[in-house]
Structures are given as structure tokens and as C-alpha cells.
Amino acid sequence: MAIESPELPPLVSLRGVRFAYGEREVLRGIDLSVHRGQVVAIMGGSGCGKTTLLRLIGGQLKATGGTVEVAGHDLAALGNADLYALRRRMGMLFQFGALFTDMSVFDNVAFPLREHTDLPAGMVRDLVLMKLQAVGLRGAAALMPSELSGGMARRVALARAVALDPMLILYDEPFAGLDPISLGIIGQLIRRLNDALGASSVMVTHDVHESLGIVDYVYFVSEGRIVARGTPDEIRASTDPFVHQFVNAEADGPVPFHYPAPAIAEQLGGGVG
Amino acid sequence: MSGLANFLRRIGAMAVDGVWRLGFATRFLGLVLLYSGQSLRRLPLTIREIYFSGVLSLLIILVSGLFVGLVLGLQGYDILQRFGSSDALGTMVALSLLRELGPVVAALLFASRAGSAVTAEIGLMKTTEQLKAMDMMAVNPIARVVAPRFWGGVISMPLLAAMFSAMGIFGGWLIGVVFIGVDDGAFWSQMQAAVDVRYDVMNGVIKSFVFGVAVSLIAVFEGYDCTPTAEGVSRAITRTVVSSALAILALDFVLTSFMFRGQ
Ligand SMILES: Nc1ncnc2c1ncn2[C@@H]1O[C@H](COP(=O)(O)OP(=O)(O)O)[C@@H](O)[C@H]1O
Ligand SMILES: [Mg+2]
């Protein structure tokens, strides 16, 4: 599927990336790379640091250790202006869409074009309608975000994220909270847009089955580290206990069902004895 | 004993917290000014905010101004006629409004109407990650969202205060001249003779400009700084109204003591 070209360096590469919110270490040494043309999924349980990882790639957070490189630039070394220049070539889909609530669907998608280009109004209009057409919502151009269903809002946000034809698209849990039909639509769109734009995509999710069908490579994150990796076929065939637990949605395994606690016998019965 | 210690500790913590926030707000003001150039170049954004702040507050400003003027007319006449100088009613109404009531009351109303709306808007944009999304699209949210709202407030405030004063003078005239029967000519000519453009009008405008800066800064800062939850936004709105009121009244005292010392 992917047009992997080994002679080119990866578009995104993280080496030994660590990150902490204050004292609380969330990522403890992450190594991963995304090659051009690939759709890569990063999977892990809720709260394992997936959103944090995306924001590190987008340069909204600075790694406390290791290096994050995007398109050959070390993000730590970039000034504000250079970082903004790089971000114009990235699109990000936020977990809940993050559409601008005071603008119509049309104006939301037009926003990056109007901010970053001097295109005449007619051309902006054509581009916006084309992007909306690609996500199947050209008819919804005049609606306000509050009039959209969750799945439609996600698609509008996707159209906005690709408005400037980015080289890298970041998705934060694109499947969360969607019905099965919208879920399938979003999955197909992610793959189609990636290939049509010749972009690369990083998708953070905990939806194993939907993702395995569309991605080229998968990383599993747990406790701040990459614990498993592979192509979808390798993942399905994996005997790794963590991957097995995740793919088969088992409640207990290497990821314990119970939050660490003293033995239950000590806590129940009011400490008789 | 430990009750007292706890009490003192809480007071201390509040003081330290207050100083921290003041520092943050000042740094924030610096950032807003730094990015203002960008947003002033895109004037329509700022004009839109002037429109929103102005229209949001216009009705309440005009109605309150009228009522304050009516009350001033009644009270002023009652006091002045004891000294046989009810002809000075126009002067009294105009000076009270231009120097104090116009800037102060208009700013208090502006803070609770437009200031709280700005805090809510920015706070909600933060809560729904719209600000982060904008930043990821390489558009600076301070330049695009915060600075236009700040300048919208700063520019609207003196205009609203002027309308408040004008409406109040009209209210004083209505009561004094139309209902009570103070001489119309005396009302206006005494006012004209006694009100000095630089001393009274300019100082009032300076006051309302300072209040506009204070209220707008508090409103955008509280919104931008809020905890991104529903509860956080509601607390930020409350803080905007309370801190604005305190700031307006304290600044008014400071400004008055510098401006008016009896000529
Ligand atoms: N701004 C923040 N300040 C402090 N802790 C945070 C912040 N954002 C996230 N965290 C914590 O870091 C961990 C990882 O967060 P996140 O990257 O959002 O996880 P995920 O997206 O995988 O659910 C979570 O446990 C969360 O509580
Ligand atoms: Mg998340």
C-alpha cells in the first residue's frame, strides 16, 4: 500500500523522546518513525500519553529529553516563526473536532486559506467546496458547527485540516464516539486523503480493528514506552502478550485490570483484627 | 491557635496568588501589545469586536444613563434649591456625570455585560481546543482572538461613557427643566460656562480610557487563563466581573486624586 522509499529519511522521527507534565513523567523514551506516504497508528490505553505524543510532533509541547524531527528539522531548534512555517504544512484533527463555533462550516474550512494565502475569494470558494466535496459535506457548507452531528463535525474538521494540502496529517482519536457507519467513513477518508495528497499520517487511537484495516504500521505504547510494533499482519499474528490483550480486548493481562491497591482483604471489613 | 495560623496562612496564600496573577496579567498585556500590530493591520477583526462590545452594551448603557440622570436631577434640585441656586442644576448634573458617574458606572456596566461575554467566549474557545487548533494552523491565537477583543473594548469604552453622560444630562434636563420647571436657559448656559473641556471633559475621557484598558485586559486574561472546564469558565467569568469592579473603583480613586484638586 505505502510507497515506502528507503533512500529517503523518514518524515517524522522520534528518538528517545521523554516528556513530563511537571513531576509526572508521561513518556519515558519513545522511538518511532513515519516514512513518507505511510499511515501510522499509535495505540495505547486512555491516558497513556497519545495526545501528548501528537502535540510533541506538532511542536506544541517541547520534549524534556530526546529529539523530535519533522521533515528534517529538529523541533527543539526551531524558533517561533520557523515552527509556524512548518505547521503550515501540517494538518491536525483534534479529538473533538475543535471547529470554530462562531463560523459556518464554509468559513471554518476557508480559515487556513484566508489566513495563509492571498488567493482571490472565488478561488478560496472553489477550494473550500472541493475539500468539502472530498468529505461528502459540500451540501453542509452553510451550516453552523452546532447543527452538525459528531461524525459530520469530524469530517468538516478533516476538510479544514487538509485545506492547505499538508505533507503531514495528525489525527487524535478520529474514531472516538462515532457510530459504526461514521467510523467506517472516517477510516476510509483518512486512507484516501493520505494517498490522494501524497501525505503521511499519524493516527492516535485505541480502536484496533478499524485501524488495522487502513494503516501501514502500528506502534503500541504503554507506560510511556513503545512495547510492540509491526505491520497490521504482524500485529494480528503477534504472540506478544500485550498486543494479544489489546487486540482481543481482554480485561486483564500485562495491563492490569486493577489500579495498584493494597490487598482487598486488608481494606474490607473495617480493619478488624 | 492552629485556627488562627490557618487563617493567616490562607490570607498569605491569597496575597501571593494575587501578586502572581497580577504579574501574569502584566506579561500577558505585553504579549497582547506585541501582537497588536498584526491584528490592527487586519482592521475588520477589531471593528467586528467594537461592534459586538458596543452593541452588547449600548442598550443597558443608554437606559442606565437616563435613570442616573433622572435621579441626579431630582437629588440635585432638592439640594441646590436649599441654597437658592437651583439654576446651577445643569452644572451639577454635567460635572457629576462627566467627571465621575459617566466613566465609572459605564465601566462597571461594560464589565458585567461585555467583559463577561468576552471572558466566556475566549474561555469556551480554550475549553473546546479551538485556541490550540488555531495555534496548530500556524495562526497565533493572541493576535487573532485576544488582541482584537482587547482593542475592541479599549476603543468602545470611552464612546460608551460619553453616551452614558449625554443620556444622563438629557435625564437631568428632563426632570429639572421639563418636570420641575428650572429655567431652560439657565440650565444650559450655567453648564456651558462651568464645564471646562480640558479639566472636566478630557479628564473624564482619560478615566474611561484607563478603565477600558483595565476591564478589557482582565476580561481577555481571565478567559485565556481559565481552567478549561465548564466550571473553570464560570469561575473566570465571576472573577472578571469582581476584579473589574475593584479595579475600576480603585483606579478611579487614584486618578481622581491626581486630576481634581480644586482649581
Ligand atoms: N496539561 C496537563 N497537565 C498535567 N497532566 C496532563 C496534562 N495533559 C495530560 N496530562 C496527563 O498526562 C497523561 C497523558 O495524557 P494524554 O496524552 O492526554 O493521554 P491520552 O491522549 O493517551 O489519553 C494523562 O494521565 C493525563 O492525565
Ligand atoms: Mg487523548
Side-chain angles (χ1 to χ4, degrees):
Chain A
M1 261 198 296
I3 339 117
E4 227 177 302
S5 26
E7 68 274 12
L8 278 172
L11 185 64
V12 178
S13 101
L14 276 64
R15 282 192 298 275
V17 168
R18 309 177 77 85
F19 184 82
Y21 287 107
E23 294 289 288
R24 186 146 175 257
E25 192 152 59
V26 178
L27 302 176
R28 304 185 172 88
I30 297 275
D31 291 282
L32 66 80
S33 31
V34 179
H35 291 276
R36 286 160 214 266
Q38 276 189 333
V39 178
V40 170
I42 300 172
M43 295 193 195
S46 295
C48 74
K50 302 186 300 295
T51 299
T52 307
L53 202 50
L54 274 194
R55 298 187 61 204
L56 283 164
I57 297 175
Q60 283 194 318
L61 296 171
K62 295 265 179 260
T64 38
T67 54
V68 180
E69 269 186 27
V70 177
H73 301 283
D74 179 358
L75 292 192
L78 287 187
N80 247 341
D82 292 330
L83 191 58
Y84 265 16
L86 190 60
R87 279 192 197 153
R88 287 181 197 195
R89 296 155 65 203
M90 295 185 194
M92 178 154 172
L93 184 71
F94 280 73
Q95 194 164 346
F96 300 103
L99 292 177
F100 301 129
T101 39
D102 58 341
M103 297 180 198
S104 68
V105 164
F106 182 94
D107 289 333
N108 263 283
V109 180
F111 183 87
L113 295 164
R114 288 177 178 153
E115 290 292 327
H116 293 309
T117 67
D118 290 321
L119 296 175
M123 198 176 291
V124 168
R125 184 170 170 278
D126 292 351
L127 283 170
V128 170
L129 291 180
M130 273 161 59
K131 297 295 173 187
L132 283 173
Q133 173 80 3
V135 299
L137 290 176
R138 187 164 47 83
L143 298 182
M144 294 303 283
S146 56
E147 299 171 287
L148 303 176
S149 71
M152 285 161 79
R154 204 76 55 91
R155 276 146 76 188
V156 173
L158 184 50
R160 185 179 69 177
V162 299
L164 290 171
D165 296 343
M167 62 174 181
L168 174 65
I169 316 174
L170 308 171
Y171 298 93
D172 194 358
E173 308 212 3
F175 305 124
L178 294 185
D179 61 86
I181 298 177
S182 309
L183 201 136
I185 294 176
I186 293 277
Q188 289 311 310
L189 276 175
I190 291 175
R191 184 77 239 181
R192 275 221 318 265
L193 283 172
N194 187 76
D195 297 347
L197 293 171
S200 315
S201 303
V202 181
M203 175 169 87
V204 141
T205 178
H206 43 225
D207 195 307
V208 185
H209 294 284
E210 193 56 42
S211 334
L212 286 186
I214 57 167
V215 302
D216 300 308
Y217 207 79
V218 183
Y219 290 92
F220 282 92
V221 178
S222 177
E223 320 241 307
R225 290 193 181 82
I226 303 280
V227 291
R229 62 174 72 193
T231 62
D233 290 336
E234 289 166 359
I235 294 299
R236 286 195 196 95
S238 172
T239 53
D240 183 292
F242 178 87
V243 174
H244 195 261
Q245 184 190 358
F246 210 94
V247 173
N248 296 292
E250 287 161 5
D252 215 356
V255 178
F257 171 66
H258 290 289
Y259 193 80
I264 191 163
E266 285 171 34
Q267 278 195 316
L268 296 183
V272 183
Chain B
M1 184 58 221
S2 87
L4 180 68
N6 263 337
F7 177 70
L8 288 177
R9 200 172 297 142
R10 272 228 300 281
I11 300 242
M14 266 165 65
V16 171
D17 188 55
V19 173
W20 268 106
R21 293 186 68 78
L22 190 63
F24 279 131
T26 312
R27 236 183 47 181
F28 189 69
L29 177 63
L31 277 179
V32 171
L33 295 179
L34 184 69
Y35 291 115
S36 286
Q38 282 181 38
S39 51
L40 286 185
R41 248 183 289 130
R42 292 181 303 183
L43 210 54
L45 286 179
T46 307
I47 290 174
R48 199 183 105 109
E49 296 308 325
I50 295 175
Y51 174 78
F52 277 125
S53 294
V55 166
L56 272 180
S57 320
L58 195 57
L59 189 65
I60 190 174
I61 290 277
L62 292 180
V63 173
S64 315
L66 181 66
F67 278 116
V68 167
L70 294 173
V71 170
L72 274 178
L74 287 173
Q75 294 281 14
Y77 178 77
D78 182 68
I79 296 170
L80 290 174
Q81 55 93 25
R82 292 184 202 174
F83 306 100
S85 47
S86 53
D87 283 352
L89 184 63
T91 311
M92 194 200 127
V93 169
L95 287 184
S96 323
L97 282 164
L98 291 172
R99 289 179 169 194
E100 288 296 334
L101 292 174
V104 171
V105 180
L108 291 173
L109 293 171
F110 182 74
S112 39
R113 190 70 185 83
S116 61
V118 163
T119 304
E121 209 182 355
I122 297 180
L124 221 62
M125 289 186 84
K126 178 174 182 180
T127 309
T128 52
E129 295 195 311
Q130 293 179 45
L131 298 181
K132 269 184 205 159
M134 202 174 270
D135 187 45
M136 263 314 290
M137 286 186 255
V139 176
N140 188 318
I142 294 190
R144 181 67 171 65
V145 173
V146 173
R149 282 168 177 74
F150 174 78
W151 286 110
V154 170
I155 295 168
S156 307
M157 188 67 260
L159 301 175
L160 290 170
M163 278 189 252
F164 185 96
S165 295
M167 213 50 200
I169 291 171
F170 170 71
W173 172 83
L174 205 61
I175 283 288
V177 174
V178 178
F179 288 101
I180 301 179
V182 174
D183 183 59
D184 199 9
F187 184 91
W188 292 115
S189 63
Q190 290 236 5
M191 187 194 300
Q192 210 174 6
V195 175
D196 183 75
V197 169
R198 228 181 46 83
Y199 193 61
D200 302 310
V201 178
M202 266 324 282
N203 278 339
V205 171
I206 292 172
K207 272 189 182 179
S208 61
F209 174 77
V210 173
F211 299 159
V213 172
V215 171
S216 305
L217 176 63
I218 290 171
V220 293
F221 175 72
E222 291 293 355
Y224 199 80
D225 186 58
C226 78
T227 315
T229 60
E231 196 209 354
V233 175
S234 100
R235 256 185 295 142
I237 296 171
T238 309
R239 270 207 305 268
T240 292
V241 176
V242 173
S243 331
S244 296
L246 287 177
I248 291 163
L249 296 172
L251 283 170
D252 185 48
F253 168 69
V254 175
L255 290 173
T256 302
S257 64
F258 278 106
M259 288 171 172
F260 303 104
R261 312 171 166 202
Q263 257 176 340

